């Protein structure tokens, strides 16, 4: 059975190009095969969003070709559908590389990525599926804010602050009950993080200084997890 969280996650990603394929699969795949396909489509969508290969005419053509082959019963499972989408679904090395440097301006997408990574690190099943209830239990804060005062963040080049603010590694999840002022530099942020109800956010309070190196290291770690959270479903 397809879980509601799977559907909510897919809708959250908002990729209209995949709808013809989804409709074809819903019409032709057995009910037992649908959960694996929906989760694969979530993974493929995230990989495309991170690596930039999911938009435009090439992606739309690939999804339409896959849909035609599903309707014609030439693609009858996840692996065979991936054969037709392979040009637009990054492999593990490409996805890891791109995730490690990705900047995300859409706060809702950033919250989803961080929530899925958190779910994986907690050892929970189906980490790529985040229900609406789970989503709204968190808010996202960027340690370096988008409109940062350069004087409060001396380890960052002033001209690059805006770019570092958007990095995935600069984002943290906090509980709705947390109140974390981040606008006054790392010392204030550090004290606030220590009081967070989110365990892995609270752990960051042990970081001595927030710097480009810390963002890079954290995001590289998240990228290595991301390959597992959003697999390519090659097998």
């Amino acid at each position: 059975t397809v879980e509601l969280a799977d559907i909510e996650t897919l809708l959250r990603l908002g990729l209209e190009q995949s709808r013809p394929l989804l409709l074809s699969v819903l019409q032709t795949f057995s009910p037992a095969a649908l959960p694996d396909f929906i989760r694969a489509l979530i993974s493929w969508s995230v990989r495309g969003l991170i690596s930039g290969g999911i938009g435009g005419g090439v992606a739309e053509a690939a999804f339409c070709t896959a849909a035609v082959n599903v309707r014609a019963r030439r693609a009858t499972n996840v692996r065979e559908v991936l054969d037709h989408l392979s040009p637009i679904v990054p492999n593990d090395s490409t996805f890891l590389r791109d995730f490690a440097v990705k900047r995300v301006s859409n706060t809702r997408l950033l919250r989803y990525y961080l929530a899925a990574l958190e779910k994986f690190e907690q050892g929970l099943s189906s980490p790529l599926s985040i229900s609406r209830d789970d989503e709204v239990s968190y808010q996202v804060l960027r340690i370096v804010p988008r409109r940062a005062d350069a004087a409060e963040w001396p380890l960052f080049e002033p001209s690059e602050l805006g770019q570092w603010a958007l990095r995935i590694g600069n984002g943290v999840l906090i509980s709705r009950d947390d109140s974390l002022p981040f606008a006054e530099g790392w010392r204030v942020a550090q004290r606030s993080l220590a009081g967070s109800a989110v365990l892995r956010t609270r752990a960051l309070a042990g970081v001595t200084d927030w710097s480009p190196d810390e963002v890079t290291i954290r995001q590289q770690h998240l990228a290595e997890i991301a390959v597992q959270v959003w697999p390519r479903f090659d097998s």
Side-chain angles (χ1 to χ4, degrees), residues 44 78-86 89 232-234:
W44 298 337
V78 168
R79 183 65 187 84
E80 290 174 352
V81 172
L82 178 58
D83 287 341
H84 298 286
L85 296 179
S86 189
V89 180
R232 198 168 185 267
F233 288 85
D234 290 289

Side-chain angles (χ1 to χ4, degrees), residues 158-179:
S159 63
E160 297 176 354
L161 265 173
Q163 296 180 39
W164 286 105
L166 296 178
R167 289 281 293 266
I168 294 174
N170 183 60
V172 294
L173 292 177
I174 64 170
S175 163
R176 286 287 174 183
D177 297 326
D178 291 340
S179 179

Side-chain angles (χ1 to χ4, degrees), residues 18-148:
S18 67
R19 289 181 183 175
L21 173 60
L22 180 59
L23 289 173
S24 293
V25 167
L26 290 173
Q27 292 166 359
T28 58
F29 277 27
S30 70
L34 290 178
D36 282 347
F37 174 78
I38 297 296
R39 289 170 192 151
L41 187 55
I42 291 169
S43 269
W44 298 337
S45 299
V46 168
R47 284 181 175 237
L49 285 168
I50 292 294
S51 294
I54 208 76
V58 173
E60 187 172 355
F63 278 121
C64 287
T65 298
V68 168
N69 281 281
V70 167
R71 285 196 299 271
R73 311 282 180 173
R74 292 190 293 268
T76 60
N77 56 49
V78 168
R79 183 65 187 84
E80 290 174 352
V81 172
L82 178 58
D83 287 341
H84 298 286
L85 296 179
S86 189
I88 64 167
V89 180
N91 60 29
D92 284 355
S93 60
T94 299
F95 180 53
L96 189 154
R97 179 200 68 204
D98 293 342
F99 197 100
V101 297
K102 184 69 175 179
R103 296 191 296 269
V104 178
S105 59
N106 184 310
T107 300
R108 193 177 185 194
L109 276 181
L110 179 60
R111 179 170 54 181
Y112 164 63
Y113 296 151
L114 293 174
L117 292 162
E118 174 77 10
K119 189 175 177 182
F120 178 87
E121 293 203 276
Q122 290 177 5
L124 301 177
S125 61
S126 301
L128 57 73
S129 293
I130 301 296
S131 71
R132 184 181 182 280
D133 287 344
D134 287 339
E135 180 191 27
V136 300
S137 69
Y138 293 118
Q139 49 188 327
V140 170
L141 283 180
R142 301 176 194 267
I143 296 178
V144 175
R146 296 183 72 167
R147 294 177 178 84

